[in-house]
Amino acid sequence: MEFKRTTALTFTSLLVACLLVACDKQSWNNPYPSADKNKNVIYSHFAERPKSLDPARSYSSNEYNFIGNIYEPPLHYDYLKRPYELVPLTAVKVPKPVHYDKDGNVLTNNNDAASIAYTEYEIKIRKGILYQPHPALAKDDSGEYLYHNLKPEDIADIEELGHFNQTGFRELTAADYINQIKRLAHPQVHSPILSIMGKIIVGLKDLSKELEKHQNEKKLNYQSLQEMIKTYRADFTDSSNFSEMIRHYENLVKKLQTKLSDLKALARTLEENPTLLENTKSISFWLKISGGIKKLMSANTTKQKILTNNILLLKKIKIINNDLLASLDQELIAAQRTSLYIDLRKFELKGVKQVDRYTYRIRVNKQYPQLLYWLAMPFFSPTPHEADKFYSQPGLKEKNITMAWFPIGTGAYMLTKNDPNSKMVLSRNPNYRGMKYPSIGTAKDKATGLLDDAGKLMPFTDKIVFSLDKESIPIWNKFLQGYYDAAGINSESFDQAVNIGQTGEASLSPSMEKKGVKMVTTVRMSVYYFGFNMLDKVVGGYDKRARHLRQAISIAMDHKDFIDIFINGRGIEAQGPLPPGVYGYQAGKAGMNPYVFDWRDNRIQRKSIEYAKKLLADVGYKDGIDSKTGEPLIIYMDLAKSDNAEQGWYKKQFQKIDLQVEFRTTDYNQFQRKMFNGKAQIFSWGWNADYPDPENFLFLLYGPNGKVKHKGENAANYNNPEFNRLFKKMETIPNSPERIKIINRMIDIARRDAPWMWGLNPKSYVLYHGWYKNAKPHAMSHNTLMYKRVVTSARTKSRINWNPPILWPIALLIIILILSAVPAVRVYKNKLYQARKDNS
Amino acid sequence: MWIYIFRRVLYAIPILIAINYLTFLLFFTVNTPDEMARAQLGNKHVTVEAISRWKKDHNYDLPNYYNSSESGSLAFTQTLFFQKSIKLFAFEFGNADNGRNIGTDIRKRMWPSLAIAIPTLFLGLIVYVSFAMLLAFFRATYIDFWGVILCITIMSISSMFYIIGGQFLMSKMLHLFPISGYDAAGNTLKFLIMPVIISVIYGIGGQTRWYRTIFLEEISKDYVRTARSKGLSENIVLFKHVLRNAMIPILTGVVTVLPLLFMGSLVIESFFGIPGLGSYTIEGIRAQDFGIVRSMVFLGSVLYIFGLLLTDISYTIADPRIRLN
């Protein structure tokens, strides 16, 4: 009976659960609330929770997906134009550099670069730009900030930023941009670009040292005060001890009083009854007793007085002690507050000056044209000083309410739900001024509808919901079910989504086309390469032997084959360090690497294996045998991941030129250690562009950036004096035919020395649904969400059509379960029959 | 009993110190503070100075076990091991390397873990006990035979198969539940059903076999024979006598895992996007965040020890013959 009830309960619970789901009035598998059905929302995902959303700290694409749409640096990239073009965002115009000599005289651009001592950029921002509503900016009627002096009791019930009742906003000023540049030097922020900008922006390095010193002093002050209070407390403990002492003295006084009254009573008794003394027959004895009693009474009275005084004193001390402890506690809180907050306004940064409310100047050492690109990155977004003060208050960090998790910006969106463990929601910033959708695009843009919204005010959507999804299968299925508006393609689902034609062209599969899915492909501004450690005895060096060995290996390593086998054709063979889209990149014959490829049949083709073998034979490695030792030449590949299929492929490539390869696979940490110590021989590495300038790639081969000697980004430790000299020249001159000439020369030197097998430039394939408008991949821009538009009615309809709940298999399962019970019942009946038979 | 509990708590202290030490040793054998700094600061433009600053700010610039620059007890207390581990005993988890407060994250993330683990435990218990009873009832028949084969088959298949297969069948093919995700605001149930069903199905094999063994052991006892000889029906023997006695080891087994429910499931939470403590641990390991890893290992150990203590106590409640001395 009990069993039946339990079973019934289980099934009822399940049924209720199913019904509750069904009552949702939408597709059962819809992960979003039914109330959001027709709302103007973009649905996206994130695979990894961001490490920080502080614009001075954040430096990865998954973080930029959020803060790129919240913070506004002075510049950004045009959404449609290619090649990428910088345009003003909050700035009035893109600033022009003004060069100065060491005496402070303005130089014209024609002057010799050597005489430029520093360069200034004057940035004027637009008036009337407002911050999002934020508690840090909330003020009371008297104009005082409401939440800048929070006490522990004020934040007891606060768990997230939205729990503050009041918000405020104000106009964006140049001071906010200056505040942010100073934040790059803040010792608690740990900005990753401090090392670069410290060399570039005048005074930033000094400011960093000054701030660190200041912070240490404050910390020290706080710690010593903490120690002092601790010692004081240990010596004088708390008021309860005083109360005990007072009680003790009061008891003593009471006892003395009793004693005194006893003595008084005795004296009285003696006085009133002289016959008592007659027994003693001695006057002298009487006198003795009487004197003794008087003495005792006097002594006890004195004692009583002393004790009463002590009690009064203790009571006073108790009050003073309590007051002192309270004031020390207050002082400690104040010291903690100060130790956590640095008012950056009090510190001067020589290289950054405010000209007026809306204008500021940045001064860089010598010249650095790439600064303009940095001015389009979140690192140079404005942050109000009020936010620094607000977030530095004790108690907020413990609740994860920090600048790193609750941004404050002027952009089209603001973060309204911040749960990096599950969901992040960007909502339209009510104070956003609006920006017009671009009107200039290519013919292809027009044909694909990318200019349909030209001139309309953005943002187009009210909300963007990012859900945490770490695994590729759920992401892909949610896209197919219409619950994500766009998605990339992983290897498992590639064949389902894409057809590769005989000419290698990718097109959508019929099933995707039927769903109205669109696809855009673009070559990413990244390079994945194999590097040779130039400090290594075998593959390193600059002589003919080493050069030919590296060139031969580069010929043998067929990256086209790798792209086809391992990444479904999503990439192109790199011809040099520059990926497509970067200034100086050349396609076709002009951009071919002549040391690895030939131009045959009107296309780039890899040189023959025979040629590679000949290169090896020329330098004493005929048939893979080192002529000096007579032993086979063994090459080591240092890898940070173990992949048998890939390793098998590498082996095959080396075998083509009769070389043996061995793999030294370690975890990523050990791999990095090897790289820093120069212990690797051939390694795999990559780089994503920060900005579309060749400097951002060619610096990866610049000698003074060597990883081993200088701990820089030049992982191959390549150091060619001619290349280095040209790099310094190329770095500072504006884009021009002269710059192209220098770049070509540098690339040619690098190709000849072959410190890298140039590897591949990956292609990204993005799929999006027909209702998702204005999708155009942009490798550089971070504020692209405001351009996107969704046709919600089409989405809702598709979701319902694509996800009807199918219940018949459940019914079938129930029937099977019932049918499977039949033999059990038969067995049971047989058992009963057998039992009855046995009994009878 | 109180003395026993006190003694067990005292025993737990050296165990926890040893666990802390092992976690510390293993973590710092694979990692150095420099690598942890690099993992947090990113791969681009990270200089030696930046790493030093990060280490100083996060107290990773101290020596591991002995600080020769300090004297007296400070030589031991001003060390990485002491500073990073000893506060755990007061349940002060501190901050993760990315700056987030671990205690706050744990408090928030334990609820989704419990939301999955509690229904899985109780629903599972009902299913496993029922199935095991069924097999015991039909012992030595072909139902028992095929039931055990089914259990072994279920046990032999990887949990990944159930997760991916379940997502494919229930969400992709039948469109019954969201394939992944979690919503704490009133919409929670539809995200829980599928992971709970899959977890229960995955556990059928092992748990049913264990419970079946318990039931069969009970059935062979003297009191069962006596009950039968008195003429009681098999139903009454099984459901009234055997079930009640077999529930003692089952329930005490359940008590052991109760505290561990807080810790969540590493795989289920990761695949279904449940923001619980299981996925928190995985994230900590992936990000090489020692703060999270040490806190979760410590919490897991404390809960496990607590679970064992509860089991001992529950024995005394379930079986009056047992005394804790």
Side-chain angles (χ1 to χ4, degrees):
Chain A
M1 196 64 185
E2 211 172 315
F3 174 75
K4 277 181 187 171
R5 211 177 296 140
T6 319
T7 317
L9 198 70
T10 313
F11 281 107
T12 317
S13 314
L14 271 173
L15 193 69
V16 169
C18 292
L19 283 173
L20 279 172
V21 174
C23 286
D24 220 2
K25 287 180 187 170
Q26 59 177 350
S27 305
W28 291 14
N29 60 357
N30 189 341
Y32 310 115
S34 50
D36 288 352
K37 199 164 74 176
N38 287 316
K39 284 192 179 163
N40 188 12
V41 179
I42 289 175
Y43 292 100
S44 188
H45 58 88
F46 63 109
E48 199 183 328
R49 73 176 192 169
K51 282 179 188 155
S52 170
L53 298 178
D54 185 331
R57 167 87 183 77
S58 176
Y59 200 9
S60 70
S61 56
N62 68 323
E63 291 157 2
Y64 281 4
N65 284 342
F66 302 109
I67 61 168
N69 297 289
I70 297 168
Y71 287 105
E72 290 190 300
L75 308 178
H76 72 149
Y77 293 90
D78 188 283
Y79 185 60
L80 297 178
K81 281 183 190 167
R82 300 291 183 276
Y84 299 117
E85 187 184 315
L86 280 176
V87 288
L89 181 59
T90 58
V92 173
K93 60 179 182 180
V94 176
K96 297 264 182 233
V98 180
H99 304 298
Y100 295 87
D101 65 13
K102 61 178 171 27
D103 301 320
N105 302 314
V106 176
L107 297 167
T108 61
N109 282 336
N110 296 332
N111 280 39
D112 182 17
S115 56
I116 298 173
Y118 55 88
T119 306
E120 273 189 359
Y121 292 84
E122 185 171 287
I123 302 145
K124 194 171 180 63
I125 57 162
R126 288 166 209 220
K127 292 178 184 174
I129 296 174
L130 299 176
Y131 276 103
Q132 65 176 79
H134 195 282
L137 303 176
K139 287 183 177 177
D140 60 16
D141 294 337
S142 59
E144 292 295 314
Y145 288 106
L146 269 172
Y147 301 121
H148 281 207
N149 205 10
L150 294 169
K151 294 179 186 72
E153 56 269 26
D154 297 334
I155 54 169
D157 298 328
I158 302 280
E159 289 303 325
E160 53 185 82
L161 202 66
H163 291 167
F164 287 98
N165 294 327
Q166 304 290 321
T167 57
F169 59 87
R170 69 162 171 82
E171 192 188 25
L172 172 73
T173 65
D176 301 329
Y177 283 97
I178 296 172
N179 187 61
Q180 171 68 358
I181 298 171
K182 287 179 181 173
R183 290 185 78 247
L184 298 177
H186 197 298
Q188 285 166 16
V189 171
H190 299 290
S191 177
I193 65 161
L194 175 63
S195 58
I196 304 176
M197 289 302 147
K199 290 177 200 160
I200 292 161
I201 297 175
V202 174
L204 194 67
K205 205 172 180 179
D206 295 336
L207 177 70
S208 157
K209 284 179 189 163
E210 198 184 340
L211 291 177
E212 197 164 357
K213 196 179 154 202
H214 178 75
Q215 187 194 247
N216 288 343
E217 279 169 7
K218 280 189 166 185
K219 257 189 183 173
L220 213 64
N221 281 346
Y222 172 61
Q223 281 165 356
S224 52
L225 187 64
Q226 212 176 13
E227 200 57 40
M228 196 192 92
I229 293 174
K230 204 175 155 189
T231 320
Y232 182 81
R233 274 190 194 282
D235 290 348
F236 294 98
T237 59
D238 59 3
S239 56
S240 63
N241 277 11
F242 283 97
S243 307
E244 248 172 53
M245 284 163 77
I246 290 166
R247 263 198 305 278
H248 175 68
Y249 284 129
E250 279 170 350
N251 284 339
L252 283 178
V253 170
K254 270 181 197 167
K255 278 180 188 170
L256 281 173
Q257 277 172 343
T258 322
K259 226 175 179 180
L260 270 171
S261 356
D262 289 349
L263 284 168
K264 275 178 187 172
L266 181 66
R268 223 175 10 250
T269 316
L270 286 171
E271 273 176 19
E272 287 168 3
N273 302 291
T275 48
L276 286 173
L277 286 170
E278 279 175 14
N279 297 335
T280 59
K281 307 280 182 198
S282 165
I283 292 171
S284 61
F285 182 69
W286 154 246
L287 287 172
K288 269 183 190 175
I289 287 184
S290 159
I293 290 170
K294 273 181 186 170
K295 269 183 188 174
L296 271 174
M297 279 174 68
S298 157
N300 281 332
T301 312
T302 316
K303 263 188 188 177
Q304 194 185 358
K305 272 182 186 169
I306 290 167
L307 283 171
T308 315
N309 280 342
N310 278 357
I311 290 168
L312 285 172
L313 197 64
L314 275 170
K315 279 183 179 170
K316 274 182 189 168
I317 291 172
K318 185 183 164 186
I319 293 164
I320 293 166
N321 189 54
N322 283 349
D323 288 350
L324 185 64
L325 280 173
S327 70
L328 282 175
D329 282 342
Q330 286 301 319
E331 212 169 305
L332 190 67
I333 290 169
Q336 189 191 14
R337 211 178 270 274
T338 348
S339 78
L340 294 170
Y341 173 57
I342 301 177
D343 189 351
L344 293 170
R345 289 173 297 176
K346 290 180 183 165
F347 293 85
E348 195 200 2
L349 173 55
K350 279 182 192 164
V352 183
K353 296 274 179 244
Q354 186 170 352
V355 179
D356 59 42
R357 186 174 163 83
Y358 302 104
T359 315
Y360 65 106
R361 274 192 209 124
I362 302 176
R363 177 180 285 193
V364 298
N365 288 313
K366 295 186 177 174
Q367 55 175 335
Y368 186 64
Q370 290 78 17
L371 183 77
L372 291 179
Y373 295 115
W374 285 102
L375 290 178
M377 293 175 79
F379 291 115
F380 286 84
S381 309
T383 47
H385 66 88
E386 292 94 330
D388 289 334
K389 171 94 177 156
F390 172 78
Y391 285 121
S392 68
Q393 298 180 91
L396 290 182
K397 196 179 176 187
E398 285 70 26
K399 292 169 183 272
N400 290 331
I401 301 175
T402 62
M403 187 81 141
W405 296 104
F406 290 97
I408 169 169
T410 57
Y413 294 99
M414 55 187 202
L415 197 64
T416 46
K417 183 177 170 65
N418 183 354
D419 183 358
N421 307 321
S422 168
K423 202 164 275 180
M424 308 279 274
V425 177
L426 294 179
S427 301
R428 189 190 282 265
N429 172 6
N431 297 338
Y432 188 60
R433 62 198 177 279
M435 213 170 90
K436 284 184 178 171
Y437 188 90
S439 308
I440 301 166
T442 61
K444 196 184 168 191
D445 291 341
K446 194 168 186 182
T448 50
L450 281 168
L451 286 171
D452 289 355
D453 290 320
K456 289 181 187 169
L457 263 192
M458 300 183 292
F460 296 125
T461 45
D462 298 330
K463 211 158 78 168
I464 297 108
V465 175
F466 294 89
S467 305
L468 181 68
D469 249 323
K470 293 174 188 169
E471 304 298 329
S472 58
I473 294 172
I475 294 171
W476 176 243
N477 283 315
K478 276 188 190 168
F479 173 72
L480 292 183
Q481 290 168 341
Y483 299 127
Y484 286 145
D485 296 316
I489 313 175
N490 56 47
S491 298
E492 296 92 40
S493 48
F494 189 84
D495 293 337
Q496 193 188 342
V498 178
N499 284 344
I500 302 288
Q502 285 183 336
T503 51
E505 270 185 38
S507 60
L508 276 171
S509 68
S511 64
M512 292 295 116
E513 277 182 352
K514 199 177 160 191
K515 275 181 169 283
V517 170
K518 314 275 180 208
M519 180 172 72
V520 278
T521 64
T522 182
V523 180
R524 279 161 49 192
M525 230 179 257
S526 310
V527 57
Y528 295 158
Y529 61 90
F530 282 99
F532 297 99
N533 180 7
M534 296 299 277
L535 303 175
D536 184 78
K537 281 179 187 169
V538 178
V539 299
Y542 299 87
D543 58 354
K544 189 182 170 190
R545 178 203 63 80
R547 214 169 45 236
H548 277 208
L549 174 63
R550 290 194 296 267
Q551 285 173 0
I553 294 172
S554 302
I555 293 168
M557 194 75 93
D558 187 350
H559 279 102
K560 176 78 179 67
D561 197 41
F562 182 91
I563 292 164
D564 289 341
I565 294 172
F566 294 104
I567 54 172
N568 305 99
R570 284 175 289 176
I572 59 166
E573 280 181 296
Q575 299 293 321
L578 302 185
V582 172
Y583 184 79
Y585 172 83
Q586 293 185 67
K589 191 179 178 183
M592 185 188 76
N593 176 4
Y595 300 94
V596 178
F597 297 92
D598 287 323
W599 184 260
R600 294 197 303 269
D601 303 330
N602 231 12
R603 64 192 176 99
I604 294 172
Q605 292 195 45
R606 195 166 281 273
K607 284 184 188 292
S608 67
I609 292 298
E610 285 67 35
Y611 177 77
K613 283 183 175 176
K614 192 174 169 296
L615 284 176
L616 287 179
D618 284 352
V619 291
Y621 294 125
K622 192 170 187 297
D623 298 328
I625 304 293
D626 187 344
S627 58
K628 279 185 190 162
T629 60
E631 298 286 326
L633 179 65
I634 299 171
I635 302 290
Y636 295 95
M637 283 189 91
D638 295 275
L639 304 170
K641 64 168 185 174
S642 179
D643 185 324
N644 287 339
E646 279 189 19
Q647 286 178 10
W649 184 85
Y650 298 144
K651 208 168 230 174
K652 207 174 127 192
Q653 306 307 305
F654 279 88
Q655 278 169 355
K656 284 194 234 169
I657 49 173
D658 304 319
L659 291 183
Q660 291 184 25
V661 63
E662 282 191 13
F663 303 103
R664 295 189 292 208
T665 310
T666 55
D667 63 32
Y668 187 66
N669 287 337
Q670 282 176 311
F671 171 72
Q672 277 202 322
R673 251 175 266 167
K674 274 199 277 186
M675 293 301 293
F676 276 105
N677 298 329
K679 303 285 184 200
Q681 199 173 76
I682 297 180
F683 57 90
S684 161
W685 208 271
W687 186 259
N688 294 321
D690 291 314
Y691 41 83
D693 190 85
E695 179 263 355
N696 195 234
F697 282 90
L698 294 173
F699 92 113
L700 298 171
L701 294 167
Y702 179 54
N705 271 337
K707 199 167 267 301
V708 174
K709 280 187 191 163
H710 309 280
K711 307 295 173 207
E713 302 294 347
N714 177 358
N717 302 297
Y718 178 58
N719 190 12
N720 182 311
E722 174 67 356
F723 184 95
N724 295 345
R725 189 185 62 77
L726 288 168
F727 176 81
K728 286 309 286 177
K729 201 170 175 191
M730 180 279 307
E731 190 185 27
T732 52
I733 60 171
N735 289 344
S736 58
E738 190 199 349
R739 199 174 190 222
I740 290 279
K741 210 173 149 188
I742 297 170
I743 292 165
N744 286 344
R745 175 74 192 123
M746 290 173 74
I747 291 174
D748 189 54
I749 293 170
R751 281 171 176 164
R752 183 170 172 271
D753 283 342
W756 296 0
M757 288 178 250
W758 302 103
L760 61 97
N761 305 121
K763 251 183 183 177
S764 71
Y765 283 46
V766 178
L767 299 182
Y768 59 95
H769 287 291
W771 60 71
Y772 191 62
K773 304 294 180 188
N774 303 333
K776 183 170 182 175
H778 201 299
M780 292 292 109
S781 191
H782 310 298
N783 60 344
T784 55
L785 285 171
M786 66 176 168
Y787 298 88
K788 307 286 170 32
R789 180 166 59 83
V790 284
V791 185
T792 47
S793 55
R795 180 169 64 190
T796 309
K797 203 176 155 191
S798 299
R799 281 179 178 176
I800 292 168
N801 289 340
W802 294 345
N803 301 290
I806 299 167
L807 294 170
W808 65 262
I810 307 282
L812 185 69
L813 187 72
I814 293 167
I815 292 167
I816 291 170
L817 282 174
I818 293 167
L819 288 177
S820 63
V822 172
V825 172
R826 281 182 61 190
V827 171
Y828 178 62
K829 280 186 176 171
N830 279 345
K831 263 188 153 184
L832 284 181
Y833 172 74
Q834 198 62 41
R836 271 200 296 270
K837 204 175 155 188
D838 291 347
N839 287 340
S840 63
Chain B
M1 190 167 77
W2 290 109
I3 293 169
Y4 174 81
I5 293 170
F6 181 68
R7 206 167 59 220
R8 285 290 298 268
V9 171
L10 284 184
Y11 288 163
I13 293 170
I15 293 171
L16 288 171
I17 291 173
I19 289 168
N20 258 332
Y21 175 70
L22 273 177
T23 315
F24 183 87
L25 186 77
L26 289 172
F27 203 90
F28 283 88
T29 306
V30 181
N31 285 303
T32 62
D34 281 31
E35 281 143 9
M36 287 152 72
R38 225 171 268 130
Q40 294 304 321
L41 296 172
N43 286 322
K44 283 181 165 183
H45 311 299
V46 182
T47 58
V48 178
E49 294 80 44
I51 290 172
S52 303
R53 265 198 305 275
W54 187 90
K55 285 197 300 187
K56 196 178 170 195
D57 205 36
H58 291 78
N59 288 334
Y60 280 110
D61 58 342
L62 296 170
N64 282 359
Y65 306 109
Y66 183 77
N67 194 338
S68 53
S69 62
E70 299 282 355
S71 57
S73 61
L74 286 176
F76 296 97
T77 54
Q78 287 301 309
T79 58
L80 210 48
F81 178 63
F82 189 88
Q83 293 290 326
K84 296 285 175 190
S85 297
I86 216 70
K87 282 185 178 173
L88 290 175
F89 284 88
F91 290 93
E92 279 181 31
F93 299 111
N95 288 339
D97 290 342
N98 64 8
R100 283 183 74 86
N101 188 276
I102 297 172
T104 308
D105 267 350
I106 289 176
R107 275 192 296 279
K108 277 186 183 169
R109 295 184 76 140
M110 69 181 205
W111 300 111
S113 287
L114 285 174
I116 295 278
I118 291 174
T120 304
L121 177 76
F122 289 106
L123 194 66
L125 200 62
I126 293 164
V127 172
Y128 309 146
V129 169
S130 310
F131 194 34
M133 285 287 284
L134 187 82
L135 297 184
F137 186 80
F138 291 108
R139 65 193 173 281
T141 67
Y142 69 91
I143 293 171
D144 183 26
F145 176 77
W146 286 109
V148 172
I149 286 187
L150 180 71
C151 289
I152 291 169
T153 312
I154 291 172
M155 279 169 71
S156 313
I157 299 170
S158 155
S159 61
M160 300 299 291
F161 173 84
Y162 296 101
I163 293 169
I164 296 170
Q167 286 180 329
F168 180 81
L169 183 74
M170 288 187 259
S171 179
K172 195 180 176 189
M173 300 301 291
L174 306 181
H175 308 138
L176 298 178
F177 310 110
I179 196 160
S180 67
Y182 187 78
D183 186 358
N187 218 2
T188 319
L189 189 65
K190 66 179 174 184
F191 293 99
L192 299 182
I193 297 172
M194 188 160 63
V196 168
I197 291 176
I198 290 172
S199 303
V200 169
I201 292 174
Y202 175 62
I204 282 179
Q207 295 292 307
T208 305
R209 284 197 67 212
W210 181 45
Y211 294 157
R212 176 183 167 273
T213 312
I214 292 169
F215 288 134
L216 290 180
E217 199 182 315
E218 275 311 308
I219 284 170
S220 64
K221 285 187 177 166
D222 289 344
Y223 74 90
V224 176
R225 197 177 302 128
T226 312
R228 282 200 191 116
S229 64
K230 280 167 72 181
L232 294 180
S233 72
E234 189 67 14
N235 287 359
I236 292 178
V237 170
L238 206 59
F239 291 107
K240 201 171 175 188
H241 297 284
V242 173
L243 179 63
R244 193 166 288 176
N245 284 296
M247 284 313 274
I248 295 171
I250 292 172
L251 289 179
T252 46
V254 168
V255 171
T256 318
V257 298
L258 275 179
L260 286 173
L261 296 181
F262 286 92
M263 300 301 289
S265 159
L266 302 182
V267 183
I268 289 279
E269 286 182 10
S270 283
F271 266 81
F272 285 99
I274 311 283
L277 290 178
S279 53
Y280 188 50
T281 313
I282 293 272
E283 279 167 22
I285 294 166
R286 277 186 189 161
Q288 300 180 21
D289 196 320
F290 178 61
I292 297 174
V293 174
R294 76 182 143 90
S295 302
M296 295 311 291
V297 171
F298 181 81
L299 192 64
S301 313
V302 169
L303 292 172
Y304 187 70
I305 291 169
F306 182 57
L308 290 177
L309 190 61
L310 279 185
T311 313
D312 287 349
I313 295 166
S314 67
Y315 274 132
T316 61
I317 297 163
D319 190 344
R321 290 169 299 178
I322 297 171
R323 291 277 178 276
L324 297 178
N325 291 317

